[in-house]
Amino acid sequence: MPRLLIATAVLHFGWAFAQPNAWMDIVRDGFVGTVVDTEADGYWPREASVWFMAAGVTLLALGTLTRHIVRTTGRVPVQLGWYLLLIGVPTAAISFPVTGSWALIGIGALTLADRRSARASRDRG
């Protein structure tokens, strides 16, 4: 699961710069306060650029923290699956199919399935 999350973060970072974005406008205007005026020309591309980057950082944090937890405890925390579903399902419902939130749903479901199969193996053993 950690690798899937980290890979998803890398894809998010890539998309933040590959899609039509406003990074040059944000840099040109000095970063600070460049995405606060909702009436300004170019607000929406600026906001999308920043949110793609912020979501990438969040996914990277989840992935690296999960990797640390797995190395420390030997298992993925079940909460991760629920958190990913909590983020992915509403996002997919609002903006499906133009969003990649299906990846969060998939990783969350895999996490929960992995935890259930590990528990069943433990109970049988």
Side-chain angles (χ1 to χ4, degrees), residues 23-75:
W23 289 112
M24 293 310 294
D25 294 337
I26 291 169
V27 169
R28 185 191 64 235
D29 292 344
F31 284 100
V32 178
T34 59
V35 188
V36 294
D37 183 3
T38 58
E39 302 299 320
D41 286 339
Y43 169 78
W44 296 109
R46 289 176 186 227
E47 181 187 48
S49 298
V50 170
W51 279 106
F52 265 102
M53 185 60 66
V57 171
T58 302
L59 290 167
L60 183 61
L62 282 172
T64 56
L65 287 170
T66 301
R67 183 177 62 195
H68 173 73
I69 292 168
V70 168
R71 287 179 177 168
T72 303
T73 68
R75 55 183 197 240

Side-chain angles (χ1 to χ4, degrees), residues 9 19 22 27 39 53 67 84 92 94 96 100 121-122:
Q19 70 164 344
V27 169
E39 302 299 320
M53 185 60 66
R67 183 177 62 195
L84 292 173
I94 293 168
F96 189 79
S121 295
R122 215 177 30 245

Side-chain angles (χ1 to χ4, degrees), residues 68-113:
H68 173 73
I69 292 168
V70 168
R71 287 179 177 168
T72 303
T73 68
R75 55 183 197 240
V76 175
V78 69
Q79 298 94 321
L80 176 68
W82 292 116
Y83 294 151
L84 292 173
L85 289 175
L86 189 62
I87 297 167
V89 170
T91 305
I94 293 168
S95 58
F96 189 79
V98 296
T99 179
S101 60
W102 55 267
L104 299 179
I105 296 169
I107 298 169
L110 284 172
T111 301
L112 294 175

